[in-house]
Amino acid sequence: MSRRTARKTSARLHRPDLGGLRAPHEQLAGRLLWGGVIAGGLVWLAWPAEETGAVLLSRGDCATIGKVSQAECEAGYDQAVADHQRLAPRFDSLAQCQEQFGACYADPANALYWIPPFGGVLLGYRQRDDDAGGGQGGGYRYTGTLPLYRERGGDFLNPRGDYVGSRVGRVTGKAGSTAPPARAITISRSGFGSSAGARSSFGG
C-alpha cells in the first residue's frame, strides 16, 4: 500500500460521523425557528377577520349599521335595487331558476330568460387606513353595494355567484367585495354559482 493510500484510509477510519449531530447553537436556532412558526400560526388563527360589509334585508336596516352614515347606506341600498334587474343572473330554464331560488320571473329585457327575485343588499365598507373619520361612520368608509340573491337553503349570493353569507348582518374578508360582474351571467346548466355551464353574456 502506498503512503498516500494509507493516509486516505486512515482518515476515513478516524473521521467522526457528524451526519446525525448538530452543534448546540444550530439546535437552538432550529427550535427557535419552529417555535416562531407555531406561535405565528396561533396568532394568525386568533386574529379576527376584517369586517368588510353587511347583508341588509330592507332599507330600514341602514339605521342600525353604524359603520357608514345612514344617508350613504340608504343611497347605496336604492342603487342596489336599481341594479338588480341589470345584474341578476339569467336562467335559460324557469324550472332550474325556481329550483335554486324559488319564485323566479321573466327577464323584462328579454323574455327568453328567467331571473331570481331580489333577495337583499350587500353593503360594503372598509376600515380607514388612518382609522380616522368622525360622526356616525366612525373609522369606516363606504365601498359600494350589490343586490343579493337568496337561495332556497338561505344562502346569499352576489351577482358574480360568490357566496356572501347565510344570515343578515356583518360579513368579513372577501365576502364584502362589491365589485360587480362585467356583465350579467347566463346559466345554461349546473346552477348559479357553479363555474360549470355558466357563461358571461350581456343581460340587457
Side-chain angles (χ1 to χ4, degrees):
M1 180 184 299
S2 68
R3 185 176 300 175
R4 180 179 299 177
T5 302
R7 281 201 300 268
K8 289 183 178 179
T9 302
S10 177
R12 283 197 298 269
L13 291 173
H14 294 88
R15 183 181 300 141
D17 181 9
L18 298 178
L21 300 178
R22 298 174 63 188
H25 69 280
E26 292 178 334
Q27 295 176 356
L28 177 60
R31 287 196 294 269
L32 291 175
L33 175 62
W34 280 109
V37 169
I38 294 172
L42 292 175
V43 170
W44 181 83
L45 289 172
W47 193 265
E50 179 187 3
E51 185 175 347
T52 54
V55 172
L56 314 177
L57 281 186
S58 71
R59 199 171 187 267
D61 290 339
C62 290
T64 61
I65 293 301
K67 299 298 184 182
V68 300
S69 72
Q70 185 171 345
E72 282 181 315
C73 180
E74 290 176 347
Y77 188 96
D78 293 342
Q79 184 61 54
V81 172
D83 289 339
H84 157 56
Q85 289 186 358
R86 180 175 62 86
L87 297 178
R90 268 65 175 163
F91 284 79
D92 288 344
S93 164
L94 172 60
Q96 187 179 18
C97 185
Q98 291 176 329
E99 181 181 359
Q100 186 171 358
F101 292 104
C104 297
Y105 60 95
D107 177 6
N110 188 339
L112 294 177
Y113 294 116
W114 304 88
I115 62 178
F118 177 80
V121 168
L122 171 63
L123 172 70
Y125 48 79
R126 293 271 184 179
Q127 191 163 15
R128 298 178 187 273
D129 294 338
D130 57 0
D131 198 26
Q136 185 178 350
Y140 289 81
R141 60 182 177 84
Y142 169 77
T143 59
T145 55
L146 281 178
L148 296 176
Y149 306 97
R150 195 168 197 178
E151 296 181 298
R152 283 179 174 272
D155 290 344
F156 291 96
L157 304 180
N158 65 26
R160 300 188 305 273
D162 300 328
Y163 171 79
V164 174
S166 58
R167 59 185 180 181
V168 177
R170 76 183 191 101
V171 298
T172 60
K174 293 181 179 180
S177 171
T178 54
R183 56 199 65 171
I185 294 176
T186 300
I187 295 88
S188 58
R189 61 185 183 277
S190 300
F192 183 54
S194 170
S195 59
R199 64 182 185 276
S200 293
S201 69
F202 286 102

